[in-house]
Amino acid sequence: MSTQALEVGPPKDSGQSRTAWRLLMNNRLAAAAFYIVVLIVIMALMAPILPLHDPDTTSPANRLLPLFSEGHLLGTDHLGRDVLARLVWGTRVSLFVGISAALAAAFFGSLIGLVAGYAGGRADNLIMRGIDMLMAFPYILLALAIVAVLGPGLLNALYAIAIVNIPFFARNVRGITRGLSHREFVDAARLSGKSHIAILTTEILPNVLPIIVITMSTTIGWMILETAGLSFLGLGAQPPQADLGSMLGQGRALLFTAPMISVIPGVMVFLIVMGVNLLGDGVRDALDPRLRAGALSRPMPVTRIERPHVPEPDETAKASALAVTGLETSFEQGGGREVAVKGISFTLRKGECLGLIGESGSGKSVTALSILGLVASPPGVITGGAVTIEGRDVLSLDETQIASFRGGKVAYIFQDPLTTLHPLFTVGEQVAEAVRAHQPIDRVGAHEKAVELLRTVQIPDPEQRARAYPHELSGGQRQRVGIAMALANDPDIIIADEPTTALDVTVQAEILRLLQALRRDRGLALLFITHDFGVVAEICDRVAVMRHGEIVEAGETATVLGDPKHPYTKRLIACVPIPGQGRAFLDAIRALPSADTDRGRGA
Amino acid sequence: MASYIAKRLFAAIPVLLGLSMIVFLIMAMIPGDPATAILGSYATPENVERLNRSLGLDKALPQQYLAWLGNLLHGDFGRSYALNRPVLDEVLERFSATLILAGTALILCTVFGLLAGIVSAVRQFGWVDRVVTFFVLIGISIPSFFLGLLLILLFAVQLRILPASGMYAIYGGGDLADLLKHLLLPAVTLAVVATGVVARLTRTAMLEVLRQDFIRTARAKGLSERKVIYRHALKAAMVSVVPVIGLQAGFVLGGAVYIETVFQWPGIGAMLVKAISTRDLLLVQGGVLFVAAAYVFVNLIADIVQAVLDPRLKT
Amino acid sequence: MDAISVTNLTKTFAGGWSLFRGRGHEVRAVRDVTLALRPGETLAVVGESGSGKSTLARMMVGLEKPTSGDMRIAGKDAAALRAEGPRAFGRVIQYVFQDPVSSLNPRKTIDAILDPPLRLLKGYDKVRRRARMKELMDAVQMPANTLERYPHEFSGGQAQRIAIARALAAEPRIIVLDEPVSALDVSVQAQTLLLLEDLRAEFKMSYLFISHDLAVVESISDRVAVMYSGEIVETASAEQLFRTPRHEYTKRLLSSAPRLKPPGRGRLEGG
């Protein structure tokens, strides 16, 4: 289980546990499993008061009675003991041992993990090395070795299972704790005067608790299984006491004559473990926010398109490099649809640079991705509008035709080149692959072309650098690789989605200069998505200002920036400090009429 | 790469030392007189005294450990009093049988787990995915020893097409076909759980990777969906699946204890169970050490494969 | 007496240890920094990623221990302050983090987040704490019902206001602001800057303002120190630094910043 994946979830409000419960019960399988497990647990708890035979009373006269015998619903075993009674009592023992082992392992493992993760440094190193040692044993083997020393017996089996599971909890909890203890809120708590113990118990533990619960609910099934296993081998419960495992083990001798005696406890173990596992998965899904958001569904190659009607592009649209008409993109959210881009239209002329500017949540990136159906879907759906390139509506084309536009006529450059380049391929391979996706060229030829492209984007020593992996390059060089990839097939249009936002200013200036030069040399049309008015002023011919999924104002860059018409644009521009303005800037802000942007959407 | 492998090999040495230390300590925790505990019913006074001397029990714990470790390095794992032969001989003989069984199971779980996981992720929510998810759930919930019994009932008792136990037929067997016939049921039983785990993790890893930014980049380049999934996504997903396969080696090696008992496979697992009930502790010690070392070795290979896949790990 | 004065402050992070290469190479994040924050002023530390500015800031609030050098906080030796216990630092100096969302514990209500500094650093009783929390919400212009809610119910800008309130709760004389507006949208950013400026004047505090954004720095700081690979290359009054930068790096930084209205020069030339 990857620990980093278990990001701490959005927090509970008063109703959070109720929400988790509802989520759990909405999961039909988990709900069914819940009722099965509860039923079995109640049965086991009520064993002493149920009208059952004594599970240990032997009665040689009644040995090996078949199922549904008079007075013995599930028959009797080789010593004439009632199988039903033994099943109920055995279940009781198995559940008790499995759950106790899980609780013990969870407690000690979590404690070790919390301390190691929070202490960090040498203590962490030492503890985790020890834990790694324990994990270097095949798990059942270590349990066997412990039982070998302590001697067979139910309690010893419990200890053994608990001990071998401690490392698992310790590792999981330690990973999460390690991540949390570097979070700012822990530093803030320290500066608030909290002691280490207080931080560990009141700041970190509440965030780790869901992970402990998840880990426990997904491993408790294992522990029940493992204790049954030890008993099966004769190393757990000792006669006359029986748990499910030992019943199965003893029944094995009679497998050929009376198979039911081993099948019945086997089915019971299976039912319990499956129920617990299903329930555990349900609990995990309910508590893990990533799964809750449905983030684990596979995105389709092209965004789902569901347009009630398709607008007909007009003549200007057909003459432009790219025209977007009435584009509407929505996100599916728990049954409903939230519209992120609300029917916007704009055109990108041949060879020009159009800036699409807006704050977070304005829908500018979604617009950019919608053009060639790259919005992740689910949850994205294009619900209206048309995208016209070369006179054709792209969104009406099929998957392969759209793919032929991507990286061919229209290329993308994305924001953070560290996450947008594949970490396991060399940059040369990745650029060459872009070439080969659209040109009939062999491997060697593609590689040469890739090196050439890397030279074009001014990467020093391109032959050498082509063999480097993305993590071996600086941020600026990585983004140059991203640009080289976009140039691979001489596109007419480049869509750049915040290409310099992750970079330092000095590097940003270099990248902007490069883009500008390429645009001029190759006559590229550039759609430039950004939140930075300064960047727009530097590079764009025209600009469109977006807010809440709509374009509020568009025009020549100089006009919009110099003389904004829409109050929102005015306000945004006023909020950008201008070099040389100094402290006068804050006075200007003070003079602004208050607006909803103040308390509205933030970062 | 060569230096990375050398580094990993060196790093395995302290792990092996640690293993030996844990095994030694567990044995040192035996309540009462270890020699008597080890010898059990074979405890004649001269045997006890001989063992005490060879274990060096008159010395301090660290010295005892060093002496014991020295013996191990010379191939002296002690003597099984129950079997009256050197532990090493018995363990080596048994170990090859376990290796055949566990190795087959590991191959089965890797092949089928990966296939099932990939198909299941690619056809998410399709019927293949549902079928795979259903079998994975059963696979990881059914006790392997119970599944073994069920398979014996079905294939050996009802259908009579496969043998219920042993490694070779008693009469006339001994060839490869005979071995395979005997191997099929236990290997499949042993592989079921591990297959479920691998399939599940592969599915999750694939789905997680398919959400990454670099997959969007691959699509934005105009690559075919086949390339996006089987080249870009699969390679990235394998980085997190390979160590899981390494962990499954521990599972099949450990799970062999049950399966060998159920199918009476003459491997190290069955030997361990018998040795524990006869309190033949030196045999237990030797067996545990051997299997644990094998597990370390498999994980070493998994580490190296992972580093081949992911250049970021080599630094 | 300076609010903070550091002399030849150095922080070295030990490199990893490897069997083959021996001691990994050390990273000197902060090298020989000498700097003074005067009472009542805002001193900005400007630099790009990896320049060591955050490490410097973390040392000043005691979250990181200097490798060598001298550091005095409000006239007291930092080592002595540390010896007094973890709370001594918090009473004089507080910190505002870059990412407001991750600086608030997601599982605590805002009043539970504001409580520790009031209780542990100020020693106020329950009634007084409650009253102070309301005052603090007023000070950062958040409604009083903020207190019962959880961090995820707020936008980035609002969360940053809450984080600022937490820093104010300790009634410190100095606040270190580590990129406090970088994660915010421009309109929210301007309002937050204004709030910070008003609070400083009202409570007579000194600010150490860490940022990579020159325009932001110019609008709020009295003096500016420019950091480059662990060293301070230039310190000057804000006015002087932006008008006549002396160091080469400062000049490059200034000319790289994108401008809304390029003064006197044309649009970016292709290079």
Side-chain angles (χ1 to χ4, degrees):
Chain A
M1 189 177 297
S2 72
T3 44
Q4 62 170 40
L6 289 165
E7 176 58 19
V8 176
K12 47 180 166 194
D13 37 88
S14 49
Q16 198 236 13
S17 48
R18 230 178 313 140
T19 321
W21 174 253
R22 219 186 46 232
L23 277 166
L24 185 64
M25 286 297 122
N26 280 349
N27 181 342
R28 243 181 295 156
L29 268 178
F34 172 78
Y35 290 117
I36 291 178
V37 171
V38 165
L39 203 72
I40 293 175
V41 168
I42 289 177
M43 185 191 78
L45 284 176
M46 291 192 358
I49 55 169
L50 287 175
L52 292 170
H53 295 267
D54 182 334
D56 298 331
T57 309
T58 58
S59 156
N62 286 331
R63 57 194 295 271
L64 295 179
L65 289 179
L67 291 182
F68 309 118
S69 304
E70 184 75 36
H72 298 284
L73 192 60
L74 294 181
T76 56
D77 68 2
H78 58 295
L79 296 175
R81 295 175 293 194
D82 182 55
V83 171
L84 179 62
R86 288 178 71 72
L87 185 71
V88 173
W89 283 93
T91 303
R92 188 178 157 95
V93 174
S94 283
L95 280 177
F96 173 77
V97 174
I99 293 171
S100 308
L103 287 175
F107 178 78
F108 290 107
S110 305
L111 194 67
I112 293 173
L114 275 169
V115 170
Y118 186 68
R122 210 166 291 158
D124 176 40
N125 222 319
L126 208 67
I127 295 174
M128 290 327 285
R129 280 289 140 77
I131 292 291
D132 283 348
M133 277 316 159
L134 284 180
M135 287 191 108
F137 282 96
Y139 157 99
I140 302 160
L141 212 64
L142 189 58
L144 277 183
I146 294 169
V147 172
V149 169
L150 298 177
L154 195 57
L155 214 55
N156 292 343
L158 192 162
Y159 295 147
I161 296 298
I163 290 173
V164 300
N165 276 290
I166 284 177
F168 190 64
F169 281 89
R171 258 207 181 175
N172 259 357
V173 170
R174 181 246 174 210
I176 304 291
T177 309
R178 193 96 205 94
L180 284 170
S181 56
H182 287 297
R183 288 277 283 272
E184 283 91 338
F185 69 79
V186 170
D187 283 338
R190 261 173 85 186
L191 290 170
S192 297
K194 280 192 165 186
S195 66
H196 288 302
I197 301 224
I199 289 176
L200 204 50
T201 51
T202 64
E203 301 280 340
I204 292 183
L205 187 61
N207 284 296
V208 176
L209 217 51
I211 313 305
I212 299 178
V213 172
I214 289 172
T215 314
M216 203 159 94
S217 61
T218 46
T219 50
I220 201 164
W222 280 114
M223 296 200 223
I224 294 173
L225 206 67
E226 294 310 327
T227 35
L230 288 181
S231 289
F232 172 77
L233 296 174
L235 304 175
Q238 298 297 309
Q241 189 188 33
D243 71 351
L244 295 173
S246 63
M247 286 173 71
L248 194 54
Q250 287 161 19
R252 190 164 75 89
L254 304 160
L255 186 64
F256 299 111
T257 48
M260 274 306 144
I261 293 177
S262 33
V263 169
I264 289 168
V267 168
M268 191 54 150
V269 177
F270 174 56
L271 268 184
I272 294 175
V273 175
M274 187 162 76
V276 169
N277 281 346
L278 271 176
L279 186 60
D281 288 352
V283 168
R284 186 196 57 206
D285 291 357
L287 289 182
D288 191 333
R290 284 176 323 126
L291 299 169
R292 198 187 290 183
L296 265 193
S297 44
R298 149 167 149 62
M300 293 191 289
V302 175
T303 313
R304 198 144 62 84
I305 298 168
E306 275 180 25
R307 295 177 293 176
H309 54 89
V310 181
E312 193 57 42
D314 56 16
E315 284 314 304
T316 15
K318 282 183 179 154
S320 315
L322 165 76
V324 169
T325 322
L327 179 72
E328 186 181 282
T329 304
S330 316
F331 289 101
E332 294 189 317
Q333 249 181 354
R337 268 185 192 172
E338 193 171 312
V339 188
V341 177
K342 300 170 184 161
I344 67 168
S345 306
F346 61 86
T347 55
L348 176 67
R349 296 176 203 139
K350 289 186 173 111
E352 84 165 341
C353 174
L354 172 68
L356 206 52
I357 189 166
E359 296 192 289
S360 47
S362 62
K364 56 189 191 300
S365 283
V366 179
T367 305
L369 293 175
S370 297
I371 290 171
L372 286 185
L374 283 171
V375 178
S377 168
V381 192
I382 293 173
T383 41
V387 173
T388 317
I389 297 171
E390 298 182 326
R392 283 198 294 174
D393 177 32
V394 179
L395 299 179
S396 309
L397 303 176
D398 68 23
E399 200 183 300
T400 25
Q401 285 172 308
I402 292 184
S404 73
F405 268 105
R406 292 174 176 175
K409 283 267 171 279
V410 184
Y412 277 89
I413 303 170
F414 296 108
Q415 178 173 349
D416 181 359
L418 186 58
T419 60
T420 53
L421 292 177
H422 199 298
L424 310 181
F425 292 111
T426 63
V427 297
E429 280 176 288
Q430 299 192 50
V431 177
E433 197 180 36
V435 176
R436 274 162 66 90
H438 297 276
Q439 297 172 34
I441 185 170
D442 65 358
R443 214 165 260 281
V444 182
H447 180 76
E448 279 165 12
K449 183 97 198 284
V451 172
E452 205 40 57
L453 285 162
L454 292 178
R455 185 169 292 124
T456 313
V457 294
Q458 298 158 16
I459 286 182
D461 195 6
E463 288 88 358
Q464 195 64 35
R465 295 272 86 183
R467 284 196 287 274
Y469 289 93
H471 72 278
E472 296 167 328
L473 302 179
S474 69
Q477 288 204 342
R478 278 197 287 265
Q479 195 54 295
R480 284 172 195 271
V481 172
I483 296 173
M485 228 153 67
L487 294 177
N489 301 295
D490 268 321
D492 298 334
I493 302 163
I494 287 188
I495 299 174
D497 186 3
E498 304 245 19
T500 59
T501 306
L503 306 174
D504 277 329
V505 267
T506 46
V507 183
Q508 164 171 292
E510 288 164 19
I511 296 288
L512 288 179
R513 213 171 292 140
L514 172 68
L515 276 175
Q516 197 70 313
L518 289 169
R519 194 162 77 83
R520 206 181 40 203
D521 296 348
R522 304 184 169 217
L524 284 166
L526 184 58
L527 179 63
F528 199 98
I529 318 294
T530 182
H531 67 279
D532 188 333
F533 273 107
V535 172
V536 167
E538 300 267 358
I539 194 169
C540 297
D541 303 309
R542 286 190 308 136
V543 61
V545 183
M546 280 191 79
R547 181 205 197 187
H548 301 343
E550 285 162 358
I551 291 180
V552 297
E553 182 167 2
E556 298 294 318
T557 305
T559 321
V560 173
L561 294 189
D563 181 22
K565 294 285 181 298
H566 193 278
Y568 177 72
T569 319
K570 276 186 190 160
R571 193 180 167 77
L572 268 189
I573 291 174
C575 285
V576 181
I578 298 165
Q581 199 179 9
R583 284 182 173 258
F585 169 67
L586 287 182
D587 297 331
I589 295 297
R590 207 185 300 276
L592 279 182
S594 73
D596 62 336
T597 45
D598 180 8
R599 297 278 163 82
R601 291 155 183 274
Chain B
M1 196 64 225
S3 86
Y4 178 80
I5 294 176
K7 223 154 80 181
R8 296 305 313 182
L9 278 171
F10 271 105
I13 293 173
V15 176
L16 288 172
L17 279 178
L19 285 182
S20 69
M21 219 177 285
I22 291 175
V23 170
F24 176 79
L25 282 177
I26 290 178
M27 292 300 155
M29 281 190 302
I30 298 174
D33 174 26
T36 320
I38 288 171
L39 292 171
S41 50
Y42 304 90
T44 61
E46 56 266 34
N47 272 346
V48 169
E49 210 221 321
R50 189 155 45 138
L51 187 63
N52 266 331
R53 217 176 327 115
S54 73
L55 292 177
L57 288 174
D58 41 336
K59 301 193 191 91
L61 212 56
Q63 277 170 310
Q64 280 180 40
Y65 170 68
L66 286 180
W68 174 75
L69 190 65
N71 287 343
L72 287 194
L73 293 179
H74 287 101
D76 179 6
F77 281 65
R79 206 176 163 75
S80 160
Y81 288 86
L83 301 172
N84 195 24
R85 72 185 291 205
V87 166
L88 187 63
D89 296 359
E90 174 75 7
V91 166
L92 281 178
E93 200 176 297
R94 294 289 197 137
F95 190 63
S96 53
T98 296
L99 221 51
I100 292 174
L101 177 61
T104 312
L106 194 60
I107 292 169
L108 287 179
C109 87
T110 307
V111 172
F112 289 102
L114 282 179
L115 279 179
I118 293 168
V119 174
S120 178
V122 172
R123 302 253 170 269
Q124 195 192 13
F125 304 132
W127 66 269
V128 181
D129 185 27
R130 277 165 215 274
V131 169
V132 168
T133 310
F134 177 72
F135 277 106
V136 163
L137 177 70
I138 291 186
I140 62 173
S141 301
I142 197 164
S144 58
F145 41 90
F146 177 50
L147 179 65
L149 293 183
L150 288 182
L151 291 181
I152 289 177
L153 274 179
L154 181 62
F155 289 98
V157 179
Q158 294 292 326
L159 301 175
R160 296 174 181 280
I161 48 176
L162 286 170
S165 64
M167 196 168 169
Y168 292 103
I170 302 168
Y171 306 107
D175 58 353
L176 186 65
D178 190 40
L179 174 65
L180 287 179
K181 229 163 116 184
H182 281 82
L183 182 61
L184 191 61
L185 281 187
V188 166
T189 314
L190 188 51
V192 161
V193 176
T195 308
V197 175
V198 172
R200 220 177 203 208
L201 265 139
T202 306
R203 179 178 187 270
T204 316
M206 283 293 283
L207 289 176
E208 232 153 53
V209 166
L210 280 167
R211 284 261 144 192
Q212 301 285 323
D213 284 351
F214 58 77
I215 293 299
R216 191 183 58 196
T217 308
R219 290 196 168 130
K221 279 200 270 191
L223 296 186
S224 65
E225 190 60 9
R226 208 168 39 94
K227 268 215 164 127
V228 170
I229 289 174
Y230 296 104
R231 188 171 146 86
H232 285 240
L234 188 57
K235 185 162 185 181
M238 284 311 286
V239 171
S240 48
V241 174
V242 165
V244 172
I245 292 176
L247 289 181
Q248 295 319 302
F251 241 95
V252 294
L253 281 170
V257 171
Y258 302 127
I259 304 307
E260 289 176 3
T261 307
V262 169
F263 289 94
Q264 288 160 32
W265 188 265
I268 213 160
M271 177 200 87
L272 281 173
V273 175
K274 203 179 284 166
I276 290 173
S277 42
T278 57
R279 310 278 295 157
D280 192 350
L281 291 178
L282 285 180
L283 195 56
V284 175
Q285 195 179 50
V288 168
L289 262 180
F290 233 84
V291 179
Y295 182 38
V296 169
F297 183 70
V298 175
N299 274 318
L300 189 74
I301 294 175
D303 273 358
I304 291 170
V305 172
Q306 201 188 7
V308 170
L309 285 172
D310 191 344
R312 290 169 297 181
L313 297 173
K314 261 178 276 190
T315 47
Chain C
M1 184 187 65
D2 289 329
I4 304 178
S5 78
V6 298
T7 324
N8 300 332
L9 202 66
T10 297
K11 175 72 192 181
T12 311
F13 290 106
W17 191 88
S18 129
L19 193 65
F20 290 87
R21 271 166 295 170
R23 197 110 196 126
H25 71 291
E26 296 177 329
V27 182
R28 293 179 66 193
V30 173
R31 314 171 185 208
D32 261 340
V33 165
T34 301
L35 183 79
L37 171 66
R38 297 175 194 148
E41 80 165 347
T42 300
L43 171 67
V45 176
V46 180
E48 293 186 288
S49 51
S51 62
K53 55 189 193 303
S54 279
T55 310
L56 179 66
R58 290 174 63 83
M59 283 194 283
M60 289 182 177
V61 289
L63 287 173
E64 209 80 69
K65 224 169 131 181
T67 310
S68 68
D70 204 40
M71 186 163 89
R72 302 180 80 78
I73 310 283
K76 275 193 178 172
D77 184 40
L81 212 55
R82 217 185 337 265
E84 271 178 53
R87 290 178 193 170
F89 255 101
R91 290 200 182 101
V92 272
I93 188 164
Q94 279 290 334
Y95 198 92
V96 173
F97 298 86
Q98 169 169 7
D99 182 353
V101 177
S102 81
S103 81
L104 304 175
N105 190 336
R107 292 183 186 272
K108 286 184 177 296
T109 52
I110 305 307
D111 52 4
I113 289 171
L114 292 176
D115 191 66
L118 294 170
R119 184 165 41 92
L120 301 169
L121 298 178
K122 302 309 292 179
Y124 293 153
D125 63 29
K126 205 165 177 187
V127 182
R128 178 112 191 250
R129 294 207 294 269
R130 197 72 210 165
R132 270 300 284 160
M133 285 183 198
K134 295 221 168 82
E135 284 168 31
L136 286 168
M137 286 302 103
D138 259 3
V140 297
Q141 298 156 23
M142 291 289 288
N145 70 359
T146 303
L147 292 173
E148 294 91 57
R149 295 161 67 186
Y150 283 90
H152 76 277
E153 299 175 54
F154 300 99
S155 69
Q158 292 169 321
Q160 194 60 297
R161 281 165 191 266
I162 295 165
I164 292 169
R166 173 180 51 199
L168 290 177
E171 294 164 38
R173 288 149 73 182
I174 311 158
I175 298 188
V176 175
L177 302 143
D178 188 358
E179 304 259 14
V181 298
S182 307
L184 309 177
D185 275 329
V186 273
S187 54
V188 185
Q189 179 174 324
Q191 296 296 331
T192 311
L193 284 173
L194 185 61
L195 173 73
L196 283 170
E197 179 61 17
D198 289 349
L199 290 171
R200 189 184 59 78
E202 189 181 342
F203 298 109
K204 308 202 167 34
M205 295 179 290
S206 318
Y207 281 169
L208 188 78
F209 192 101
I210 312 284
S211 181
H212 71 276
D213 189 331
L214 291 165
V216 163
V217 160
E218 196 188 350
S219 69
I220 195 166
S221 55
D222 302 306
R223 288 191 307 136
V224 183
V226 180
M227 260 188 112
Y228 181 65
S229 63
E231 287 175 79
I232 292 200
V233 297
E234 181 170 1
T235 312
S237 76
E239 210 175 311
Q240 192 192 341
L241 187 120
F242 286 101
R243 198 155 16 95
T244 48
R246 288 196 311 271
H247 195 273
E248 261 324 294
Y249 178 69
T250 316
K251 285 179 192 159
R252 194 146 69 89
L253 212 52
L254 279 171
S255 70
S256 299
R259 279 146 198 272
L260 210 60
K261 290 160 192 157
R265 112 192 127 95
R267 297 262 303 280
L268 244 173
E269 294 304 312

